[in-house]
Amino acid sequence: LSDRDGIDEIWLLPGGFGEAYRITDVAKEISDFAWSPDGKSILFTAPINALDFSTEERPYVRVERVSEEDKDREQLYLLDVATQECRQLIDRAGHVSSFAWSPNSRTVAYSICPSSRPNDLTVSDLYLVDVSNGKQTLLVQRPGIDAMPSFSPDGKQVAFVSQNGNGARVQQTCLSLVPVSGGKPVNLTSDFDGGISSQTADSFFWGSDSGTIYFGSIQGVRRQLFRLDVNRRSVEPLSSGDQVCFGFSMSADRKTMVLMIDRATMPADLF
């Protein structure tokens, strides 16, 4: 993302030499994006009417400021990388707070809450949307947080951060799992003493198979890395000591992780 043309849009930097160039043309700034696994599309979030340049005050002029009402309702948009054509994928009441591609690039899972206001982020539900026709399917709807969806590598299940149906604002979050076909979610970390963030990009990641999940959790004033055995629902620590682990990123084959570690005696470094 870059705002070099006035607002945050998606730019592409060629793999070899060359200058970055803008591949989106939107009226309202983009907040987040993700490549499809097949590399043909980019999914992004932006306020409602992000593709509409026509306004009574400033017709066909890029809008640099977003109204408070629009900020509270971001939607999903789809960009065809080859043609650079954009279309709005969903248009529904509420604010899209997180999203994820399926491994085959045909489906998107997303969480939606009433608005982006802090109090509303504690109430969210999960949906699936077919990229080809926009058909939406309710996946999880219950009190509290259900957000940060992520498909298993085999595409059969969706893991997500949840309050396990408890709407209390101070309820600890857990990792839950639900089949793509629907059903009752399962709490994978019911015996784990610690919460998982529902608003950070490095909340959790699947391993190379569909039986392992890596996640970060705050333990007092520290944040450590853990590994979850999905089938056994058992958790083991992968880091320890007086440190904060963050910025987790998995390689494309999900066999290598890069992370940052910050200690009181050492500035954040890459591992």
Side-chain angles (χ1 to χ4, degrees), residues 1-266:
L1 289 179
S2 174
D3 64 355
R4 65 184 70 183
D5 272 359
I7 61 172
D8 283 335
E9 294 203 62
I10 301 173
W11 290 65
L12 193 63
L13 182 65
F17 295 98
E19 293 291 330
Y21 59 95
R22 181 167 50 83
I23 58 173
T24 54
D25 188 23
V26 295
K28 300 174 183 178
E29 62 184 9
I30 295 169
S31 59
D32 195 10
F33 73 95
W35 282 90
S36 61
D38 63 13
K40 296 179 180 180
S41 304
I42 294 177
L43 191 68
F44 65 88
T45 49
I48 56 172
N49 301 322
L51 303 181
D52 183 9
F53 287 87
S54 59
T55 64
E56 293 182 4
E57 295 82 5
R58 300 173 64 190
Y60 305 104
V61 175
R62 191 175 301 279
V63 179
E64 297 180 358
R65 293 183 179 273
V66 179
S67 70
E68 289 301 317
E69 179 182 357
D70 287 353
K71 279 184 179 178
D72 290 336
R73 186 186 168 197
E74 291 200 338
Q75 301 291 292
L76 284 176
Y77 297 83
L78 191 67
L79 168 70
D80 184 304
V81 177
T83 65
Q84 296 185 19
E85 293 182 357
C86 287
R87 63 182 172 92
Q88 189 164 340
L89 187 59
I90 68 165
D91 182 8
R92 62 181 308 134
H95 167 78
V96 174
S97 56
S98 55
F99 58 90
W101 283 98
S102 65
N104 62 11
S105 303
R106 297 175 183 173
T107 307
V108 169
Y110 70 92
S111 61
I112 193 162
C113 50
S115 78
S116 63
R117 297 180 178 92
N119 287 342
D120 286 340
L121 293 176
T122 60
V123 182
S124 55
D125 301 316
L126 296 180
Y127 285 82
L128 298 176
V129 56
D130 187 313
V131 174
S132 64
N133 56 26
K135 180 181 178 181
Q136 300 183 54
T137 305
L138 177 64
L139 189 61
V140 178
Q141 185 177 51
R142 55 185 181 175
I145 296 171
D146 292 298
M148 302 297 294
S150 179
F151 285 88
S152 59
D154 62 13
K156 297 179 179 179
Q157 303 182 93
V158 175
F160 58 99
V161 179
S162 174
Q163 287 182 311
N164 203 34
N166 189 322
R169 296 189 185 279
V170 295
Q171 175 68 19
Q172 184 168 277
T173 51
C174 63
L175 274 178
S176 292
L177 190 70
V178 65
V180 171
S181 57
K184 185 177 180 180
V186 175
N187 183 350
L188 297 175
T189 55
S190 56
D191 296 329
F192 176 71
D193 185 16
I196 295 95
S197 174
S198 63
Q199 297 182 37
T200 57
D202 66 349
S203 178
F204 70 94
F205 296 91
W206 284 93
S208 58
D209 58 19
S210 295
T212 305
I213 293 176
Y214 300 91
F215 67 91
S217 178
I218 293 176
Q219 308 284 297
V221 295
R222 307 166 184 86
R223 188 175 190 238
Q224 306 292 358
L225 176 64
F226 296 85
R227 177 166 55 201
L228 165 69
D229 185 311
V230 174
N231 298 318
R232 296 181 179 179
R233 302 184 198 175
S234 59
V235 176
E236 64 173 317
L238 296 181
S239 67
S240 61
D242 295 331
Q243 60 188 21
V244 174
C245 299
F246 65 101
F248 313 122
S249 179
M250 296 293 288
S251 61
D253 61 7
R254 300 176 185 267
K255 295 181 178 180
T256 304
M257 175 185 288
V258 176
L259 72 154
M260 301 287 288
I261 296 180
D262 193 3
R263 301 187 180 100
T265 58
M266 180 189 74

